[in-house]
Amino acid sequence: MSLLNQVISLRGAAHCRRSTVSCQAGKGEVARIAVLGASGYTGAEVVRLTALHPHMKVTALTGDKQAGKRFSEVFPHLLTAVDVPKLVKIDDLDFSNIDAAFCCLPHATTQEIIKKLPRDLKVVDLSADFRLRDPALYKEWYGGEHAAVDLQKEAVYGLTELFREQVKTARLVANPGCYPTCSQLPLYPLVKLGLISTEDLIIDAKSGVSGAGRSAKEANLYCEVAEGINSYAVGKHRHMPEIEQGLSEASGKDVRVSFTPHLINMSRGMQTTSYVKMAPGVTAEDLRLALAKFYEGETFVRVLEKDVIPHTRHVRGSNFCMMNVFPDRLPGRAVVVSVIDNLVKGASGQALQNLNLMLGFPETTGLMQLAMFP
């Protein structure tokens, strides 16, 4: 089978084109949305994005430490968001008037909350609690027993462009991590097509400081991050098993990667630079063309023209992923570069993309903001 036919066959088996049907609740109706853990960066991004969504209305915001405050007191830049409710404690929230929820709570906390939610509620979870399918793997990397194993089995992994059809029918979607999104979008198809080796796979990743969350931490103070760059969680970052889980599924066998994240002195943005060994006879241009064909027609994933280098500033504030492939100086190897905004495509934007599908809205609704530059 030719490379082109392989790509066409893979796309047909993996996912279909974007849905354009109206909301399941009825055309023109508005879904009532709760944002759980709205006082963090991902919660704020959900509110920002849904503010322009014609079929969703945020009717509940929780933030136990900020309960009673207007949302604009916590995030002044969202002062102009219309009809945003005050923050309340999650225990005081009446879910009978909620159609769907974004869960922006920390891992471990999330599973305890979600297992108590009404079963008819659509949920997109932005924590790590439901991303790993193996409870033993979750315990190994997150340091505790999973408290909602049945839900862990039910959850659909929401890397939208790869698992669109499963997301459409899901009740609970595990939104991917930022690094796994940026890494897997280019690597998953290349592994699935057998165009690159799963051995000696190196991922060099860099993120803006917002990826560490909004809570006060010494390592995130201005003097700690300004005018410098540093690696962290070397050889033990919790997104590693998530990346390996996806690439193992693509390969059909266990895959291990060398993954090192770095903190960059910028507020948002993410880049992964992956160093790959190509299959015999395959060139870097073959990889680029395969990715271009695989993502042909996709709104949010863009494979750039030959020799054009992706920049994080070109996706800032948007739900887009830009990628490209370059030949390495070492024979038989290539360099794959991918960039996203870690808070949008790497978190809240992809979450909205998933909930659009779950509720039957056009997938791109509320997400067509162009990148902010300069």
Side-chain angles (χ1 to χ4, degrees), residues 227-266:
E227 303 176 25
I229 174 176
N230 64 274
S231 307
Y232 68 100
V234 178
K236 56 184 180 181
H237 195 280
R238 288 167 166 172
H239 283 178
M240 206 155 16
E242 186 181 341
I243 295 169
E244 292 174 344
Q245 175 179 264
L247 297 185
S248 295
E249 179 181 293
S251 174
K253 61 182 181 181
D254 287 343
V255 173
R256 292 292 177 266
V257 300
S258 177
F259 173 81
T260 304
H262 304 78
L263 195 64
I264 298 291
N265 180 23
M266 59 185 185

Side-chain angles (χ1 to χ4, degrees), residues 87-285:
L87 290 151
V88 299
K89 292 184 177 182
I90 196 166
D91 290 339
D92 296 333
L93 189 58
D94 179 7
F95 285 97
S96 65
N97 296 317
I98 301 296
D99 300 308
F102 293 100
C103 192
C104 305
L105 296 164
H107 74 270
T109 302
T110 292
Q111 56 195 270
E112 296 286 354
I113 296 296
I114 291 181
K115 72 179 183 180
K116 298 175 184 177
L117 297 179
R119 291 287 300 177
D120 60 347
L121 195 70
K122 301 275 189 178
V123 179
V124 179
D125 175 33
L126 282 76
S127 83
D129 274 1
F130 297 99
R131 295 173 189 163
L132 300 179
R133 300 186 186 95
D134 184 353
L137 199 60
Y138 178 87
K139 181 180 179 180
E140 176 185 347
W141 286 89
Y142 288 90
E145 298 285 349
H146 203 286
V149 175
D150 289 342
L151 290 179
Q152 191 179 29
K153 295 175 183 177
E154 174 191 343
V156 169
Y157 188 67
L159 193 50
T160 322
E161 283 77 15
L162 300 181
F163 305 111
R164 179 173 285 120
E165 294 305 303
Q166 296 94 314
V167 169
K168 286 180 182 179
T169 58
R171 186 190 73 85
L172 171 61
V173 165
N175 212 59
C178 48
Y179 285 128
T181 294
C182 201
S183 301
Q184 290 183 93
L185 281 173
L187 295 181
Y188 187 101
L190 299 179
V191 169
K192 186 79 172 178
L193 290 164
L195 297 177
I196 62 174
S197 171
T198 56
E199 298 178 0
D200 194 19
L201 186 52
I202 302 168
I203 303 172
D204 179 291
K206 298 175 176 64
S207 175
V209 183
S210 59
R214 202 186 192 200
S215 60
K217 302 170 187 173
E218 180 180 315
N220 298 339
L221 294 173
Y222 177 80
C223 290
E224 304 293 330
V225 298
E227 303 176 25
I229 174 176
N230 64 274
S231 307
Y232 68 100
V234 178
K236 56 184 180 181
H237 195 280
R238 288 167 166 172
H239 283 178
M240 206 155 16
E242 186 181 341
I243 295 169
E244 292 174 344
Q245 175 179 264
L247 297 185
S248 295
E249 179 181 293
S251 174
K253 61 182 181 181
D254 287 343
V255 173
R256 292 292 177 266
V257 300
S258 177
F259 173 81
T260 304
H262 304 78
L263 195 64
I264 298 291
N265 180 23
M266 59 185 185
S267 60
R268 60 166 79 206
M270 175 166 288
Q271 174 173 316
T272 59
T273 305
S274 301
Y275 303 92
V276 303
K277 181 180 180 182
M278 295 178 287
V282 175
T283 68
E285 181 63 3

